[in-house]
Amino acid sequence: MSTPSVEPVPLPAKRRVAQLAMLAFAVVIVMGAYANVGLAIDKQIPAGMLTYGLGLGGFMLAAYLVLAKFAPWADPLILPLVTLVNGLGLVMIYRLESAKMPGASATNQLVWTGVGVVLFSVTLIVLRDHRALQRLTYTAGAAGLILLVSPLTPFLGKEINGARIWIGIGGASLQPSEFAKLALVVFFAGYLVAKRDVLALAGRRLLFIDLPRARDLGPVLITWGFSLAVLVVQKDLGSSLLIFGTFIAMLYIATQRTSWVLIGILLFVGGAILAGMIFTHVQDRFTVFMHPEDPDLYYKVGGSFQLLQGLFAMGQGGVIGTGLGQGHPNLIPLAFSDFIFPATGEELGLTGLMALLMVYALIVERGLRTSIAARDPFSKLLAGGLSFILAWQVFIIVGGVTNLIPLTGLVTPFMSQGGSALLANWILIALLVRMSDAARKPPPQAIQDEGMTQVFQR
C-alpha cells in the first residue's frame, strides 16, 4: 500500500490583489491630503509631493512584497490600515513644518518610516514561527526590565521635559520603553500560559465576584509595585499605566476572571493617589488635570498651557474642521509629537478624528480576530496582548489630550514624529501579521493516490 501524498492549499491570489489595491488606495488618500496642504498654504501643489509619494509608496510596496512572500495568508487589511495612519501622520508633520514649527521634519519621519518597514520585513523573514518566542519567556522579561530601567543609568540616561525615559547614543536619543513593552508582552504571554490554571482558581466569594486566592496575588502585586516605581522614579505615568493595564488585560484573557480587573483598577488608582500625596511631581500632574483652567497653572512652567492650547484647537475645529493647511496647529507646543491628535482635530474636525479612531479600531479588531482564530494558547495571549497594548496606548493619549485622564507623555501610534515609537510599532504589526498568517493558513489537504483509492473501493 503506497503512502498518500499531501497537496498544499493554493495561495489566496485574489486576496493579495485586493490587499495591493487597498494599499494603493491608502497611498492615494495620503497624497491627496498632502496636495491639499500645499494648495491651502501656497496655492500650488507641493514641490516635494512626487518625492514623498514615491518614497511612501515604495516603502509600502516593499512591505507588501515581503508579506506576500513570507506571510501570504496574513490578514489583508492590517498593512493598508497602518499605511493610512502612518501617511496621515506624515502629512500633519509636513503641515507643521510648513508652519515653521521648530523640530517638525517630514523628511526625518519618512526616513524613520523606511527603517520601520525594514524592521517589519526583517521580523517576518527571520521569525518564521512566532511560537519560538515562548521559549524566550523569561529572557524577554529580563530584556524588558533592563530596557525599561536603562534611562536611569548614569551618563547614559537623559531627562527631557521632566521625565527620565530617554538614553543618549551619540547625538541621537532613544526611548527604550517603546521596545520594552513588546518584550514584556511576550513575557506576560509565556508566563500566563504556564500559570493560568493556578491563577484561575477561585477563593472566597464577595457579593457576585469570585475573588482569587491570596497566595496567587504575588504576580499582580509585583507588577503593580514595578509600575509604581516607574511612575515615581522615572516620572513616566504613560509607561506605568501601559504596562500594568496590559498585564491585567492579559490576565483577564488568560483566566476569564473579572475579579482580576477590579483588583487591578483598585491597586493602580490607590497607588496613584498615594504617590500623588507623597511625591510633588505626581501631585503637580494631577493638579493640572483637576484644574487646567486655573490662570496660575496656565502660565506656570509645566502647567496647563499645552493642554488648553490643544483643547482650544479642537474646539476651533468643530465638527468638520478648518481644513488641512488652514488652521493654526503651530500654536500647540509639541504638536508634531505628543499633541499631534489635537492638531489633527483642528484641521479635520470631530469628523476626521472619529474616522481616524475608526481606523485604529479596525487595526485592533483585526488583531483581536487573529487572537480568536489562533490555534494555541500562547498565540491567543500574545495576539490579544499586542492588540490591547495598541488600543490602550491610543486611549491613554486621546484621554490625556482631551483631559479625560492626566497627561502621560505617550505619543499617538504611527502618527507622532519620533523614531523609537514608530520602529517599535512596526515590529508590533509584523508580529500580528505573522500570527495572522499562522491562524488563517488552512492545514494541508491529503490526497489519496490510485493505489489507496483501490484499497478503499475494495
Side-chain angles (χ1 to χ4, degrees), residues 250-266:
M250 294 179 69
L251 182 56
Y252 172 75
I253 294 173
T255 64
Q256 300 297 305
R257 292 287 183 187
T258 308
S259 55
W260 284 119
V261 178
L262 297 178
I263 290 172
I265 294 174
L266 292 175

Side-chain angles (χ1 to χ4, degrees), residues 138-149 176-177 179-181 183-184 226:
Y138 292 98
T139 302
L145 294 181
I146 292 172
L147 286 171
L148 205 56
V149 302
S177 61
F179 301 94
K181 68 184 182 185
L184 289 175
F226 186 79

Side-chain angles (χ1 to χ4, degrees), residues 313-314 318-319 340-360 398 401-402 415:
M314 287 188 286
V319 175
I340 198 170
F341 190 81
T344 305
E346 180 183 6
E347 301 204 336
L348 295 184
L350 179 63
T351 304
L353 291 183
M354 291 298 101
L356 182 61
L357 290 177
M358 282 300 298
V359 175
Y360 278 118
V398 173
V401 299
T402 56
M415 288 194 69

Side-chain angles (χ1 to χ4, degrees), residues 417-440:
Q417 180 175 314
S420 303
L422 190 60
L423 300 185
N425 285 321
W426 270 107
I427 295 174
L428 184 153
I429 293 300
L431 293 174
L432 283 180
V433 166
R434 170 54 65 209
M435 288 183 285
S436 172
D437 177 70
R440 296 164 70 95

